[in-house]
Amino acid sequence: MLQNNNTHQKKQEEAARRANEDDVVYHQWATFRVNKELFGIDVMQVKEVLRFVDITPVPGADYSVLGIINVRGNVVTVIDTRRLFNLPDSTLDDNTRIIIVELNDKEVIGLVVDSVDEVINLPANRVDRAPNLSGDESTRRFVQGVCYHNNILIILLDLTKMLLSITPTTESEHMF
């Protein structure tokens, strides 16, 4: 009878553990590296990943805007994440990629990154608020949170805030 109680208790504990796991919300993040740091963006905003191609400069553009590229007939603004994060420039290599992301239903942007890593599932309850260590307010406001995955720190970015900081809306866009 003692054995039956132990078996019954183990089954109840297992059922409770599974129920708790079912309550956990997971988010998928596309991860990439810039300056040897691992960053993540919401995978639902990623349209595709391209090898680095020649970029046409745009005179008078923001410092972090490298220029534009043509992706299947669509003009895409390309942003240098190193410049956006106030990091030193780096030599382009075979791992350099342009991540094409959707900012909103109308705008597509390219992000130049050192390399693309993988898509990972992270439980929302394991994401911590970003610490206020950086004195650079412009970069800190992009950080949605941080999380450890396989003992590696991942900085999770709020892509919308990040891109809106260099593509501000005009007053006429607010009117409609």
Side-chain angles (χ1 to χ4, degrees):
M1 183 148 168
L2 185 60
Q3 181 130 6
N4 283 345
N5 283 344
N6 284 342
T7 305
H8 180 69
Q9 184 179 1
K10 286 181 183 181
K11 285 181 181 179
Q12 283 180 327
E13 288 172 0
E14 180 66 22
R17 187 184 61 76
R18 267 192 254 121
N20 286 340
E21 284 180 2
D22 291 343
D23 291 343
V24 175
V25 176
Y26 283 82
H27 293 287
Q28 286 191 312
W29 299 88
T31 60
F32 59 90
R33 293 193 183 274
V34 176
N35 201 38
K36 298 181 183 170
E37 294 293 333
L38 191 60
F39 294 90
I41 55 177
D42 184 346
V43 76
M44 296 305 291
Q45 291 180 287
V46 176
K47 291 182 66 82
E48 62 185 302
V49 177
L50 306 173
R51 289 190 179 278
F52 189 84
V53 295
D54 288 334
I55 298 171
T56 304
V58 176
D62 187 270
Y63 175 70
S64 60
V65 175
L66 289 176
I68 56 175
I69 59 174
N70 184 327
V71 178
R72 288 181 294 287
N74 296 312
V75 176
V76 176
T77 302
V78 178
I79 296 169
D80 185 341
T81 53
R82 284 179 165 271
R83 289 182 180 177
L84 188 63
F85 299 159
N86 295 321
L87 296 171
D89 286 339
S90 176
T91 307
L92 303 174
D93 61 26
D94 288 339
N95 292 321
T96 305
R97 295 289 184 266
I98 300 174
I99 302 175
I100 306 297
V101 296
E102 193 169 42
L103 177 57
N104 53 43
D105 292 336
K106 300 174 194 165
E107 195 164 8
V108 176
I109 305 274
L111 302 172
V112 175
V113 300
D114 295 347
S115 65
V116 172
D117 214 57
E118 63 182 329
V119 174
I120 58 173
N121 287 315
L122 294 176
N125 62 359
R126 285 196 25 226
V127 175
D128 296 321
R129 288 189 54 183
N132 274 343
L133 299 178
S134 169
D136 186 1
E137 181 61 37
S138 64
T139 303
R140 186 172 49 223
R141 69 175 176 234
F142 307 150
V143 178
Q144 184 173 325
V146 294
C147 184
Y148 279 92
H149 180 71
N150 295 334
N151 295 323
I152 299 172
L153 179 69
I154 302 171
I155 301 167
L156 305 173
L157 301 174
D158 185 326
L159 193 58
T160 303
K161 286 181 183 176
M162 187 172 94
L163 297 177
L164 286 176
S165 72
I166 58 168
T167 56
T169 57
T170 63
E171 285 185 36
S172 62
E173 289 174 322
H174 287 295
M175 294 173 69
F176 299 105

